[in-house]
Amino acid sequence: MSPAEWRQLSERSTEDSLQLCQSVYLAWHSESPIMSHISSQCLYFLMLLSPVMTSTITEDIEVLVLLPQNNSYLFSRAKVAPAIRYAQQRLRTDGGQFSGFHFNIQFENSDCVSDALFLLVDRSCGQKPDLILGPVCEYEAAAVVRLASHWNIPVISAGALAAGFGNKNTEYSQLTRIAPSYVKMAETFTAMFRHFTWKSALLVYEDDKLERNCYFTLEGVYHLMADFNINTFALHQDERLDTDHILQTIYDTEVVIMCMGADKIREIMLAAHKQRLTTGSHMFFNVELFNASSYGNGSWKRGDEYDSDARQAYASLNTVTLLRTAKPEFENFSLEMKMAIKEAGIHDCKDCASVNMFVEGFHDAMVLYAIALHEAMKRGYSKKNGTEITSRMWNRTFEGIAGQVSMDVNGDRNGDFSLMAMTNVEEGTFEVVANYFGVNGTFQLLPAFNADRFTLRGRHTAHAHETPDKSCGLGVSALTGVIVGAVLGTAMLIAFYFFRKNYRITIERRTHAEDDDTGKHRQLREDSIRSNFSAA
């Protein structure tokens, strides 16, 4: 009999024996010698089983971690591995119910393209891992999670945040996302739009056509806010920033939501300020989830001649970011991570001043898996039953390194986000003015919140001007009819002349555009990152 079968039998026998002892106790007052003998045997049986009921479960777990070695990534091995080791040490030495788990962790390099998939296939030719942590990048994660789901291996990632991974019925069935997805972030905007009765938004994002971080970030907004008037404006990473073109598009919208590098956001804000679009007629937002300067961290200061204008422009820029915690244990964790990064020789890490959500997330991934595995094994399931273990990671709340972590019924972490705004224009300093709590969908306004800054003013005001009557006695209506009739007649003749000439060109352009769209949708199908935003 296997250990799992013995545990299951023991637990069932214990439950049955408890019921038997209860019946014996009720019959105890009969003072029958037979009853006394049965009661003694019952107590002896429970004493034998008590070690099984209280002993720590011991198990070896093979963990495959797929992270890039390139330290330019916020989730490189050097930055994330210390968090995983930290969690491993805590689980082993706290003397609790998880101390019997021995995690054999193997780190492998991923390149955000295909390395992770090949490594998983090669490694699984021998012994398949019991748990996979990562990958983070969308396209690489899609391939790995599909294969892991086929093999019934749990995958926990602090990445794979795109909207397409939300469908876990089939190919992503084993994926648990320990960091809030982009759709979770978008709930913050939905709450604000409903609270302030905004109707339209322009999503301006930088698309590198490779990892497409900002593309997927604002895809979540587009995906969730279908009830609002949402338009998109894409900037290629290598293209010159055409602020005039962007501003022309901004005029017709209420809210501008941006995701791109900090320098480009500054350039757009300077141009908008010059055109007086930062006077309350439009709302500007920046998305910054990872504590990284590459995502536009709201910093306006560059030490150049435009700093003064930039400071005033940024008074109209609000930043959506993750809600941070001041939990004492997290402070110690942060210090440990910073020391580990220094020991790894990453001395020029601009984004290592604070722990990002990837580092925090992979720590919590180890804790969540240990909780789910322990529950499953107590009920007689094997560590190889990925479906059972994964289901126990979903729809639960547990204590993570930075505070309480809530997982929804779909295996995605509920996110808490903060809204930051400039509260001191003279100093140019930002402060959290509101928080959004994903568990209950509430939007909390803090004392620093200024309602005037979130009220749209002076938009599209029409000014009526009196003009002298120049109709020569015909009257305005009659004169207008003559002019319009003449113009329409001329336009129809010109249109007919050019119609035949341009018909072939029009058809060719339409065919070419349809071919481009077909190729684009084919690529999305192959990558299994499906979205309406992708076709926008």
Side-chain angles (χ1 to χ4, degrees), residues 3 30 54 86 88 98 101 114 124 165 175-176 198 201 239 247-248 275 295 318 339 426 493 510:
S30 66
T54 59
Y86 187 95
Q88 180 187 21
F98 310 127
F101 290 153
S114 55
S124 299
F165 290 104
L175 175 63
T176 300
W198 299 331
E239 290 179 351
L247 294 184
Q248 289 175 3
Q275 296 297 324
Y295 276 77
N318 310 288
M339 290 176 57
E426 294 299 323
L493 290 174
R510 183 177 302 170

Side-chain angles (χ1 to χ4, degrees), residues 77 80-90 103 105-107:
R77 172 179 172 177
V80 173
I84 296 175
R85 298 293 190 193
Y86 187 95
Q88 180 187 21
Q89 184 70 15
R90 285 184 61 208
F103 294 96
I105 301 175
Q106 180 178 350
F107 292 89

Side-chain angles (χ1 to χ4, degrees), residues 52 80 105 132 158 165 170 208 273 306 321 334 368 401 428 468 472 481 484 497 502:
V52 176
V80 173
I105 301 175
I132 298 173
F165 290 104
T170 54
D208 61 2
H273 184 64
Y306 303 109
T321 185
S334 299
L368 177 58
I401 192 61
C472 301
V484 170
Y497 172 77
N502 294 329

Side-chain angles (χ1 to χ4, degrees), residues 366-421:
M366 292 285 290
V367 177
L368 177 58
Y369 178 81
I371 294 172
L373 177 63
H374 187 267
E375 284 188 359
M377 296 188 71
K378 275 181 62 179
R379 287 159 178 77
Y381 295 100
S382 165
K383 66 179 180 179
K384 294 298 183 182
N385 193 328
T387 300
E388 181 64 27
I389 297 169
T390 297
S391 68
R392 294 182 182 278
M393 290 191 283
W394 297 7
N395 194 26
R396 74 176 310 134
T397 300
F398 70 100
E399 194 66 24
I401 192 61
Q404 196 173 74
V405 178
S406 171
M407 307 297 298
D408 70 9
V409 295
N410 197 46
D412 295 332
R413 180 173 181 167
N414 290 307
D416 298 332
F417 299 89
S418 294
L419 177 63
M420 299 187 69

Side-chain angles (χ1 to χ4, degrees), residues 55-70:
S55 63
T56 301
I57 298 176
T58 302
E59 191 68 71
D60 291 329
I61 301 121
E62 299 296 326
V63 182
L64 176 62
V65 183
L66 301 169
L67 295 169
Q69 290 184 356
N70 186 343

